[in-house]
Amino acid sequence: MAPSRLLIQTILIGLLTLLLTAVAKAQSSNQVLHFRGSENFAEIPHTDIASLRAATIEGWVRWSKLRESSRFVEFGTRDRCLTLALRGPRPDLVYEIRQNRTEPQAGRRRAGAIHVAGIVPLDQWCHIAAVSGPSGMRLYFNGMLVGSNDFQGSLANLGIRSPGYLGQSVWLTGDHLAFDGQMDDFRIWAEERTQAQIQQGMLQPPTNRHPTLLVCLDFERDLRDPRLGRVGIAQSRGVEVRVPSLPRPTSPPPLPAIIRGTLRTLDGDLLNRAIVQVLDLNGVLVEGRTGGLAVSLV
C-alpha cells in the first residue's frame, strides 16, 4: 500500500525541522578561546612564520578588562617584536614592529608604530587585522582602515627563534599584564591582504585550503588542530575553549568614528600643546569613552 501524501508531507516537515534545529544549534554553539586573565597564553610555533616578508594577522577579540598593555598577539623578543596590544590600561590600540635598536640597518628605520586612541570597546567583539610588508603597515578595525605607516618591515626582519603568544607578552615583565577576555577565528596569511579581502573574510571564514593561509584557528576542535592552516597551538596555559556568553557578530559590526587632523592657528602656524575636547550632538563630552570615538592628531 503506497503511503499517503499527508504522511509524506509530515515526514518531510519533520526532517526539515530537525535540519533547521541542528543548524541553529551549531550556530549558537560557536566556540571561542577564553583567557582567564592571569598567567594565561596560547603558544604559536614560529617555524613557518619567522621568514615572512609580508603578512596579515587578524582575528576577533573581546577584552573583558582593559589590563595594562595586555596583548592580543606578539611575536619576537623584547627588542625585536611584532605587537598588537593595548597601550597601558587604556582603550588604545597599538600595532608596532620593532627591530633591534643596536643592529645596523644601513640608514633604514628600525621601527614602525600605529597608535589609535580610544577605539577598543570593553566587553564587545571587535575584528582586528594588521598588515605588514613592502607596502607598509596598515591597521584595520572592524574592516575599516584606522591607521597606516610606511615602515616596510615584517616578521622576517625580527630574527624570530621562539614561539609567539596569544594573550601574553614576549617581554615577560610585570608591566604587561595577561589578556582577560576571548578570541576567535585567528589567522595569519603570508600576504598583504586588501581591505576588501579582510572585510569579506571577517564574517565568511575560509572553507578550503589556501596557499598563503598559514594559521587558521576557529577553536571548534582540539587546539592543536590547524584546521585549514599549517600551524596549530603548540601549548597553552590558563585558557579553555567554551561557548561565549556574548555571541560573535554575524553581521558587519559598527565602524568607529575617527577624527584626524592638524591643529593650526589662524595664521597657519602649528599649534602645540593644545587641549582637544569632542562633544556629541547633545553637547556631552565624549573624551574617555571606549569604542565610540578615536582622535588622532599630528
Side-chain angles (χ1 to χ4, degrees):
M1 181 178 179
S4 67
R5 179 177 299 179
L6 178 60
L7 178 59
I8 294 176
Q9 289 178 342
T10 302
I11 294 174
L12 291 176
I13 292 173
L15 292 174
L16 180 60
T17 301
L18 290 175
L19 177 61
L20 293 176
T21 301
V23 171
K25 184 177 180 181
Q27 291 177 341
S28 64
S29 61
N30 170 60
Q31 297 189 120
V32 301
L33 191 61
H34 177 79
F35 295 75
R36 67 188 182 191
S38 176
E39 298 183 349
N40 47 219
F41 66 86
E43 187 178 280
I44 303 174
H46 65 288
T47 308
D48 293 303
I49 297 168
S51 61
L52 295 183
R53 298 194 176 277
T56 299
I57 300 174
E58 63 177 332
W60 286 92
V61 193
R62 177 188 173 196
W63 270 274
S64 297
K65 294 180 182 178
L66 301 179
R67 310 189 74 215
E68 181 77 30
S69 302
S70 63
R71 264 51 176 169
F72 166 26
V73 59
E74 190 166 55
F75 285 95
T77 60
R78 181 175 184 137
D79 291 324
R80 308 177 74 178
C81 57
L82 184 152
T83 304
L84 277 167
L86 296 182
R87 187 180 184 92
R90 299 183 296 276
D92 301 355
L93 185 61
V94 175
Y95 170 31
E96 183 177 25
I97 300 177
R98 178 185 303 192
Q99 296 179 196
N100 194 329
R101 297 176 181 173
T102 62
E103 180 180 321
Q105 295 293 324
R108 296 182 180 179
R109 291 167 53 196
R110 298 171 184 168
I114 300 172
H115 171 210
V116 185
I119 198 172
V120 177
L122 182 63
D123 212 25
Q124 296 180 34
W125 283 104
C126 58
H127 186 272
I128 297 172
V131 180
S132 62
S135 300
M137 298 170 61
R138 299 191 302 277
L139 179 62
Y140 297 89
F141 186 89
N142 287 346
M144 188 175 86
L145 180 66
V146 294
S148 61
N149 189 304
D150 60 4
F151 181 69
Q152 297 178 333
S154 190
L155 292 160
N157 301 90
L158 305 179
I160 298 174
R161 296 183 177 85
S162 57
Y165 294 108
L166 292 176
Q168 177 177 278
S169 170
V170 298
W171 291 40
L172 300 177
T173 66
D175 297 336
H176 301 160
L177 300 183
F179 174 81
D180 189 326
Q182 298 175 333
M183 301 182 191
D184 199 12
D185 277 349
F186 178 76
R187 303 173 202 149
I188 299 180
W189 303 80
E191 63 175 332
E192 298 173 285
R193 302 281 281 177
T194 66
Q195 183 171 11
Q197 289 174 318
I198 291 170
Q199 290 174 341
Q200 181 179 12
M202 283 168 46
L203 303 173
Q204 298 178 4
T207 56
N208 299 304
R209 290 189 180 275
H210 192 282
T212 66
L213 183 57
L214 302 184
V215 179
C216 183
L217 302 172
D218 60 8
F219 308 115
E220 301 300 324
R221 304 166 182 80
D222 185 275
L223 287 181
R224 297 177 184 272
D225 183 358
R227 195 173 173 262
L228 299 177
R230 305 179 199 170
V231 181
I233 298 295
Q235 59 178 328
S236 61
R237 182 175 67 191
V239 300
E240 62 177 323
V241 172
R242 64 164 64 168
V243 176
S245 56
L246 178 67
R248 241 193 46 211
T250 56
S251 59
L255 295 176
I258 298 178
I259 299 175
R260 291 193 182 95
T262 302
L263 293 179
R264 297 181 181 274
T265 65
L266 293 177
D267 297 326
D269 298 325
L270 288 176
L271 187 61
N272 297 321
R273 299 182 179 179
I275 298 176
V276 179
Q277 291 185 329
V278 181
L279 307 180
D280 62 18
L281 294 177
N282 298 316
V284 178
L285 184 68
V286 297
E287 182 182 12
R289 295 185 190 176
T290 61
L293 182 72
V295 179
S296 176
L297 299 173
V298 296

